């Protein structure tokens, strides 16, 4: 089902647990471990994403460290394409390309392997590899913006950024050049 019914959206949304004041006071942490532990919600979500992205002729899924790995790797396997981890700085062993982004206080950095999407980011036809970026949640959008920039920086093409949950009141998607698709949005 490339479009979710209201009931299916409810099944997914209700499977995500709210943890108030984690990791610090004032933040409501959206805990997706309860979604992963709920087979009905997890398979409803993954079937939806599979049917949505079947027609996109993607070459890779790039998942953001760490919860984006789970959804991204399952989706890549279902679509029969490769999975690329976008990691926090210092975790990848081969030559990397990095992008900094601002946090509330200071900076963080994400990295990918330079050849993650093929040499110069090109797929077997010689065209830029078509990449879907995925993460569990978009808040301010800083992490996803840096990850999308990285994909383009190595010569590939970020065709869409996908999130399970969007905190709409933070307008995070505005900074991302690629189209954004959020399965669920909270205002
Ligand atoms: P941002 O760069 O502000 O869009 O933050 C997105 C990243 O931080 C994602 O990888 C999320 O998993 C995580 N994150 C931010 N806010 C929350 C939240 N309220 N609940 C769960 N994860 C969050």
């Amino acid at each position: 089902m490339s479009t979710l019914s209201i009931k299916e959206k409810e099944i997914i949304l209700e499977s995500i647990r709210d943890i108030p004041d984690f990791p610090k006071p004032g933040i409501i942490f959206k805990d997706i471990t309860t979604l992963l532990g709920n087979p009905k919600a997890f398979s409803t979500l993954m079937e939806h994403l599979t049917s949505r992205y079947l027609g996109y002729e993607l070459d890779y899924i790039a998942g953001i460290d760490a919860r984006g790995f789970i959804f991204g790797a399952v989706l890549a396997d279902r679509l029969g394409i490769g999975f690329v981890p976008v990691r926090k700085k210092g975790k990848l062993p081969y030559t990397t390309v990095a992008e900094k982004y601002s946090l509330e206080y200071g900076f963080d950095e994400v990295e990918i392997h330079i050849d993650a999407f093929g040499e110069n980011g090109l797929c077997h036809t010689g065209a830029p590899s078509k990449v879907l970026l995925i993460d569990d949640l978009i808040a301010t959008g800083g992490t996803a913006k840096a990850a999308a920039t990285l994909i383009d920086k190595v010569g590939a093409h970020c065709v869409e950024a996908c999130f399970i949950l969007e905190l709409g009141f933070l307008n995070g998607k505005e900074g991302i050049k690629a189209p954004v698709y959020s399965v669920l949005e909270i205002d």
Side-chain angles (χ1 to χ4, degrees):
M1 60 302 194
S2 59
T3 308
L4 285 172
S5 66
I6 292 171
K7 179 76 192 148
E8 288 164 333
K9 283 191 178 188
E10 267 173 20
I11 289 171
I12 300 170
L13 188 60
E14 285 169 6
S15 74
I16 299 171
R17 176 166 59 185
D18 281 359
I19 311 285
D21 299 321
F22 182 88
K24 53 186 179 183
I27 304 283
I28 298 175
F29 191 85
K30 298 291 178 182
D31 176 18
I32 55 90
T33 64
T34 43
L35 187 169
L36 301 173
N38 178 329
K40 174 82 181 149
F42 195 20
S43 78
T44 300
L45 172 67
M46 293 317 305
E47 273 164 33
H48 166 59
L49 293 178
T50 306
S51 73
R52 176 178 174 83
Y53 289 110
L54 260 177
Y56 275 57
E57 296 181 341
L58 297 165
D59 296 301
Y60 295 92
I61 308 278
I64 298 179
D65 203 339
R67 291 178 288 273
F69 295 171
I70 302 164
F71 303 106
V74 174
L75 183 58
D77 183 58
R78 282 178 168 231
L79 295 175
I81 59 176
F83 173 76
V84 171
V86 179
R87 297 225 63 183
K88 295 283 167 62
K89 190 178 170 56
K91 303 287 185 186
L92 290 170
Y94 185 58
T95 310
T96 57
V97 179
E99 186 72 20
K100 274 191 178 172
Y101 59 99
S102 320
L103 297 173
E104 204 176 346
Y105 305 107
F107 290 92
D108 212 338
E109 217 166 327
V110 283
E111 293 184 328
I112 52 172
H113 279 147
I114 191 163
D115 59 353
F117 306 114
E119 203 175 328
N120 300 316
L122 305 178
C123 69
H124 63 282
T125 64
S129 295
K130 289 162 78 177
V131 182
L132 174 74
L133 179 66
I134 191 163
D135 201 2
D136 64 330
L137 182 142
I138 179 167
T140 66
T143 318
K145 183 181 175 189
T149 303
L150 267 185
I151 293 167
D152 292 342
K153 215 171 171 175
V154 293
H157 175 47
C158 181
V159 297
E160 189 156 279
C162 171
F163 306 93
I164 313 311
L165 202 54
E166 174 181 340
L167 304 185
F169 53 92
L170 292 173
N171 297 320
K173 67 179 170 201
E174 280 173 17
I176 301 172
K177 262 199 307 180
V180 170
Y181 173 66
S182 303
V183 177
L184 305 165
E185 189 178 335
I186 298 176
D187 286 316

